[in-house]
Amino acid sequence: MVPSKPSAPPFRALIIEDDDLQRDASIAAVRSCGAILARDAASGREAMAAIVAESMPFDVIICDLKLPGMDGLELLRRAGDTGCRSAFILASSFEPSVLRAAEEMARGYGLRVVGAVEKPVTARKLWPLILRLQAQDLAEVQERTDRMMPASEVRRGIEQRQLDVFVQPKVNLQTGAFAGVEALMRWRHPKRGLLNPATFIPVMEEEGLIAQATLMLVEATIFECVRWRKQGLAIPTSINLSAHLLSDTALPDRIGALLADVGLEPQLFTIEVTETATMTDVAQSLETLARFRMKGFGLSIDDYGTGFACMKQLTRIPFTEMKIDRIFVTGSAGQKVLTDLLETSLDLARRLALTSVAEGIETREDWQTLADLGCDLGQGYFIAPPMPLASLPDWHRQWSAEDRRVSPR
Ligand code: C2E
Ligand code: CA
């Protein structure tokens, strides 16, 4: 039974429906479920324009599958391409198997799908899905806050130098040869043990502590690079920079000076930034990135495919590497949607002369799929999990001794 006054928080909805009567029914239904804004579009094209124009994503998009011109399936694909974060409810009079396939396809394109309803859309049919969506949102927020460490503890952790650096190897997917490492921050918490970045990096960013923490990581990594060099190893190393640091245009000079002090070349280092990081404070970010590049550092676009990268973004920033997000890589073998997306990304990387790196190689099949698609380098649990800096030389010896210089066919 739909309550007359819904207790669910208000939400913003977009209804995509070409039939006037059906559209009015859907608008009435979302309103009685608590929508404070109910925009509507009569075609796929009109809907895409509304999705792209909205600065705050719609909470819910109710999408008819059968539309004139650009149909519902094409619309879902295009919405996926833009990185749309809205939750989708599919509406149709097609049989359940078609709806299930459309749901699966939309998820494959990276969209969040709450479920499907049969037309006509009524409040009674919509209500359980709106509740499910809001329960999912709440659980997600709860999980995020549960996981996050308190700011005062993070501050203390930095002061007491409890931060540590782990590295994860990257290898050439065609030959198996070791190709470098990514440095990843860890916190050795005295009571909770080893903590992953998801529990403290967002806190550092919010509290203005990320610059200090990053410099500590860079210094510790450089120190280790010097030791590796003494053992005859010149290991290409990647470092993650958060968006907050890109507005500091003096950072390339500072890191460059640290390297010069110990006689290491910037060419050995790659700076990883996410797609969205490059979109805030555009002019300053561009200056910082250009300065890094001019000093000889490599520049990598991290988690490629999950943000809002556009051609402009890729061409105006002097990237040298594209890191493909693991959501496209892990389990991609035989998944046509994923392999098509991978093929497109790798083709773009080749055209822009970027080194391609696949994250999340978890199985032999993942490796083989990416190697067959021509990806240059791979990183993931199948190769090695992140490990303490000091463990790398041993891992390296073992990896080389096992003679994996052939793809693991
Ligand atoms: P990222 O840059 O995408 O780093 C890769 C993450 O994937 C790492 O998680 C790594 O442990 C994990 N991973 C590696 N191989 C696999 C695999 O085969 N399967 C799966 N499921 N996961 C794999 P980690 O170390 O927890 O880091 C999470 C994120 O934290 C990083 O994502 C990066 O965005 C951020 N981060 C880490 N260190 C730093 C840092 O020093 N500064 C900043 N700003 N961010 C950092
Ligand atoms: Ca990274």
Side-chain angles (χ1 to χ4, degrees):
M1 183 66 196
V2 180
S4 52
K5 207 164 180 298
S7 55
F11 60 93
R12 304 162 74 253
L14 170 67
I15 285 118
I16 313 170
E17 171 63 67
D18 59 317
D19 181 279
D20 292 346
L21 279 178
Q22 297 274 7
R23 191 166 59 244
D24 288 348
S26 299
I27 293 173
V30 289
R31 284 203 190 283
S32 68
C33 286
I36 41 161
L37 176 106
R39 284 200 57 187
D40 58 277
S43 70
R45 218 163 289 283
E46 199 186 324
M48 267 321 290
I51 291 171
V52 174
E54 228 25 63
S55 54
M56 202 161 89
F58 292 101
D59 298 301
V60 180
I61 298 180
I62 300 179
C63 179
D64 183 17
L65 289 185
K66 204 165 158 205
L67 293 165
M70 181 197 301
D71 66 15
L73 296 184
E74 186 179 348
L75 175 110
L76 291 168
R77 170 160 48 79
R78 292 200 183 197
D81 285 347
T82 69
C84 178
R85 289 278 159 263
S86 306
F88 280 78
I89 293 176
L90 308 183
S92 165
S93 28
F94 288 120
E95 60 207 77
S97 62
V98 176
L99 274 175
R100 266 199 307 278
E103 272 189 66
E104 202 53 43
M105 180 211 82
R107 290 199 182 97
Y109 286 129
L111 294 176
R112 179 177 175 194
V113 186
V114 201
V117 285
E118 211 178 291
K119 292 208 308 192
V121 177
T122 62
R124 194 186 293 266
K125 291 179 193 166
L126 212 49
W127 187 244
L129 294 180
I130 299 292
L131 284 184
R132 186 190 301 170
L133 170 65
Q134 286 168 347
Q136 282 173 1
D137 283 348
L138 268 181
E140 206 177 286
V141 170
Q142 192 60 43
E143 199 189 305
R144 240 181 288 142
T145 22
D146 281 353
R147 273 193 332 211
M148 221 52 83
M149 295 298 289
S152 56
E153 267 195 66
V154 176
R155 206 176 290 273
R156 200 165 340 119
I158 296 177
E159 280 161 12
Q160 298 184 353
R161 306 196 71 83
Q162 291 164 359
L163 296 185
D164 202 354
V165 187
F166 271 40
V167 284
Q168 187 176 29
K170 288 185 281 187
V171 299
N172 183 311
L173 288 179
Q174 309 301 326
T175 64
F178 174 56
V181 295
E182 174 177 10
L184 294 160
M185 211 183 278
R186 292 290 182 271
W187 179 4
R188 289 194 186 278
H189 192 282
K191 293 208 181 86
R192 294 170 189 256
L194 195 66
L195 297 180
N196 283 335
T199 63
F200 59 85
I201 284 199
V203 182
M204 288 175 171
E205 290 177 338
E206 250 164 57
E207 299 291 319
L209 300 167
I210 190 70
Q212 192 185 352
T214 304
L215 277 174
M216 286 168 81
L217 172 133
V218 169
E219 280 170 8
T221 309
I222 291 177
F223 184 79
E224 200 62 28
C225 284
V226 173
R227 294 199 354 186
W228 291 337
R229 188 53 78 81
K230 285 184 186 146
Q231 298 175 42
L233 297 168
I235 300 178
T237 302
S238 296
I239 283 158
N240 294 281
L241 276 200
S242 94
H244 298 63
L245 297 182
L246 294 183
S247 54
D248 179 1
T249 54
L251 194 61
D253 275 346
R254 221 168 314 138
I255 298 183
L258 289 175
L259 293 177
D261 280 351
V262 294
L264 286 178
E265 312 78 19
Q267 281 75 7
L268 266 188
F269 290 81
T270 294
I271 303 296
E272 295 191 6
V273 289
T274 57
E275 295 172 51
T276 22
T278 59
M279 294 181 70
T280 38
D281 287 331
V282 172
Q284 279 172 328
S285 302
L286 282 177
E287 180 178 342
T288 307
L289 292 171
R291 282 182 187 278
F292 270 121
R293 191 69 201 105
M294 280 160 64
K295 286 188 173 296
F297 289 87
L299 284 185
S300 177
I301 186 157
D302 205 359
D303 301 339
Y304 182 80
T306 58
F308 289 87
C310 55
M311 290 301 273
K312 197 164 146 207
Q313 197 82 341
L314 283 170
T315 48
R316 73 182 172 183
I317 298 170
F319 285 114
T320 54
E321 182 184 277
M322 176 191 281
K323 278 193 95 166
I324 299 172
D325 194 82
R326 61 173 184 263
I327 61 165
F328 303 104
V329 174
T330 311
S332 55
Q335 300 285 328
K336 176 130 174 47
V337 175
L338 291 179
T339 49
D340 281 354
L341 285 169
L342 285 170
E343 205 169 353
T344 311
S345 304
L346 291 168
D347 185 48
L348 184 61
R350 257 187 304 274
R351 282 168 196 262
L352 296 172
L354 305 178
T355 302
S356 48
V357 186
E359 296 176 337
I361 302 277
E362 290 191 0
T363 61
R364 189 174 293 273
E365 290 73 34
D366 293 339
W367 179 319
Q368 196 60 62
T369 305
L370 272 294
D372 289 347
L373 289 169
C375 184
D376 300 319
L377 308 180
Q379 178 179 342
Y381 298 156
F382 180 69
I383 298 153
M387 61 188 80
L389 280 169
S391 307
L392 189 77
D394 275 349
W395 174 87
H396 180 239
R397 254 187 302 279
Q398 207 179 337
W399 181 264
S400 312
E402 281 176 17
D403 193 22
R404 303 210 199 193
R405 291 179 166 271
V406 282
S407 102
R409 220 178 270 268

